[in-house]
Amino acid sequence: MTVGTPISASPEQLATVSYNADGLVTAIIQQEGTGDVLMMGWMNEQTLRETLESGRTVFWSRSRQARWRKGDTSGDRQWVRAAYYDCDGDTLLFVVDQEGAGACHTGEHTCFYRSFGPAPEATSPDDQ
Amino acid sequence: MTVGTPISASPEQLATVSYNADGLVTAIIQQEGTGDVLMMGWMNEQTLRETLESGRTVFWSRSRQARWRKGDTSGDRQWVRAAYYDCDGDTLLFVVDQEGAGACHTGEHTCFYRSFGPAPEATSPDDQ
């Protein structure tokens, strides 16, 4: 059974995080190993702390104005393997082990399953 | 010399993009090949179109309230190889060929060069 690996962030690291007017920060979720970008979500200070302490991603739903722990409904939990913050502290990056089918509520592995362009082949990196 | 590869997005694809109250959408930038997440920026409808048509990333600076074409100052341009939009259309993902030293204004390759935790080694995926 996979369990969460807590990350002990220092007060200085946590103080570097810059929240917007709504008290939120963007969080990019990336699959460990493949590097696939799975989704983007929002966290507030509380759900960021819970994510780091529990080793599972927890977000803030802007539409529902509620805490939202990934996988509680779908079963597709995200186990945090590493957590980064960017140069100006307003975006976070979590490398995770995605459980189950994937990160997207549509059943796709990644929320970014659609590309701009005339056909999927035409925008594949392999074609360049 | 590297040049931009235009991406012909359909009107239907462009109409799927959902802008926030400020007319902006988040854009994640990922390095082709390595999968490194380089940075996160914001685009409006105009800079998204310019990005797709020119094959170079163009953003909207919220702090300066101005169009900002990546690399015009630093020289470190980003050449778009593929462009994706997420399930609810409010986040974009661009796979790019990053020129020069990197994406970050600090000189780092990625803006996410700092990790939460007691030491870089302790949060490396290799330790899990």
Side-chain angles (χ1 to χ4, degrees):
Chain A
M1 181 187 161
T2 309
V3 294
T5 307
I7 292 176
S8 300
S10 70
E12 292 74 19
Q13 290 167 346
L14 291 171
T16 308
V17 179
S18 175
Y19 299 91
N20 70 10
D22 296 322
L24 302 176
V25 61
T26 48
I28 300 168
I29 310 298
Q30 183 178 35
Q31 173 66 50
E32 183 187 21
T34 66
D36 289 342
V37 176
L38 298 177
M39 57 175 282
M40 203 279 281
W42 294 82
M43 293 182 181
N44 61 15
E45 188 173 353
Q46 186 182 341
T47 61
L48 168 59
R49 284 179 183 273
E50 188 180 351
T51 295
L52 293 169
E53 290 168 6
S54 68
R56 271 184 66 182
T57 57
V58 187
F59 301 96
W60 181 259
S61 168
R62 295 176 300 166
S63 56
R64 290 184 286 110
Q65 288 289 300
R67 169 188 171 280
W68 164 60
R69 189 165 68 165
K70 180 70 180 168
D72 276 357
T73 304
S74 66
D76 298 339
R77 297 171 291 189
Q78 293 173 338
W79 302 102
V80 178
R81 296 296 174 237
Y84 303 85
Y85 50 103
D86 78 345
C87 52
D88 51 8
D90 66 359
T91 305
L92 310 177
L93 171 65
F94 293 90
V95 177
V96 306
D97 181 8
Q98 171 70 56
E99 265 192 353
C104 191
H105 73 285
T106 62
E108 300 279 347
H109 180 59
T110 166
C111 293
F112 300 94
Y113 59 91
R114 295 176 298 183
S115 60
F116 290 106
E121 292 77 17
T123 56
S124 162
D126 297 337
D127 295 339
Q128 307 301 326
Chain B
M1 179 187 162
T2 308
V3 294
T5 307
I7 293 176
S8 300
S10 69
E12 291 74 18
Q13 290 168 347
L14 290 170
T16 307
V17 179
S18 175
Y19 299 91
N20 70 11
D22 296 323
L24 302 176
V25 61
T26 48
I28 301 167
I29 310 298
Q30 183 178 34
Q31 173 66 49
E32 183 187 20
T34 66
D36 288 343
V37 176
L38 298 176
M39 57 175 281
M40 203 280 283
W42 294 82
M43 294 182 179
N44 61 15
E45 187 173 354
Q46 187 183 340
T47 61
L48 168 57
R49 284 179 183 273
E50 187 180 351
T51 296
L52 293 170
E53 289 168 7
S54 68
R56 271 185 67 183
T57 56
V58 187
F59 301 96
W60 181 259
S61 167
R62 295 175 302 165
S63 56
R64 290 186 286 109
Q65 287 288 301
R67 169 189 172 279
W68 164 59
R69 189 165 68 165
K70 180 69 181 168
D72 276 356
T73 303
S74 66
D76 299 339
R77 298 171 289 189
Q78 294 173 337
W79 302 102
V80 178
R81 296 297 174 236
Y84 302 86
Y85 50 103
D86 79 344
C87 52
D88 51 9
D90 66 359
T91 305
L92 310 177
L93 171 65
F94 293 91
V95 177
V96 306
D97 181 8
Q98 171 70 57
E99 264 192 353
C104 191
H105 73 284
T106 62
E108 300 279 347
H109 180 59
T110 165
C111 294
F112 301 93
Y113 58 91
R114 296 177 297 183
S115 60
F116 291 106
E121 291 76 18
T123 56
S124 162
D126 296 339
D127 294 341
Q128 306 302 325

